Amino acid sequence: MAEENNETKIPQGQNGHESAVIPPRTSPKMRWPEVVGLTIEEAERIIKKEKPGVQIQVVPPEHFVTCDYIVQRVRLHVDSSGKVATPPIIG
């Protein structure tokens, strides 16, 4: 019986160089565009379900925030009706 070659071939790119193989997404979620338009409570429930232990900071309209980056913080920028106005992100 002949030995099988189990080597994975990498496809060639346009210029003859090997193309990069992109692995499936394994990194943690960093943004939640799907909560735009939801109430603070609804958005917080969804975000905390997907990233337990995160700290939610609500930012009212026309308020300034600091430029520091905190990996366990998600800011909810809300409009005057209390709905999420922009996609929340980690930081």
Side-chain angles (χ1 to χ4, degrees):
M1 207 153 86
E3 278 187 47
E4 281 188 30
N5 184 356
N6 291 330
E7 188 176 297
T8 302
K9 297 196 185 245
I10 298 174
Q12 296 294 311
Q14 290 180 347
N15 59 3
H17 291 63
E18 294 178 349
S19 296
V21 177
I22 300 171
R25 181 178 172 197
T26 57
S27 60
K29 191 162 183 179
M30 301 291 287
R31 56 187 291 127
W32 290 265
E34 67 273 15
V35 303
V36 172
L38 299 181
T39 65
I40 295 167
E41 294 80 15
E42 292 169 325
E44 186 172 358
R45 181 179 46 79
I46 290 168
I47 294 167
K48 284 188 172 186
K49 180 180 177 186
E50 294 179 0
K51 189 162 178 67
V54 75
Q55 298 171 352
I56 303 292
Q57 180 183 31
V58 178
V59 182
E62 306 298 322
H63 278 68
F64 293 98
V65 295
T66 59
C67 293
D68 56 335
Y69 184 88
I70 300 174
V71 296
Q72 288 298 323
R73 177 180 62 201
V74 174
R75 289 181 170 143
L76 295 180
H77 293 265
V78 296
D79 60 21
S80 59
S81 66
K83 307 274 182 159
V84 178
T86 60
I89 59 171
I90 293 290

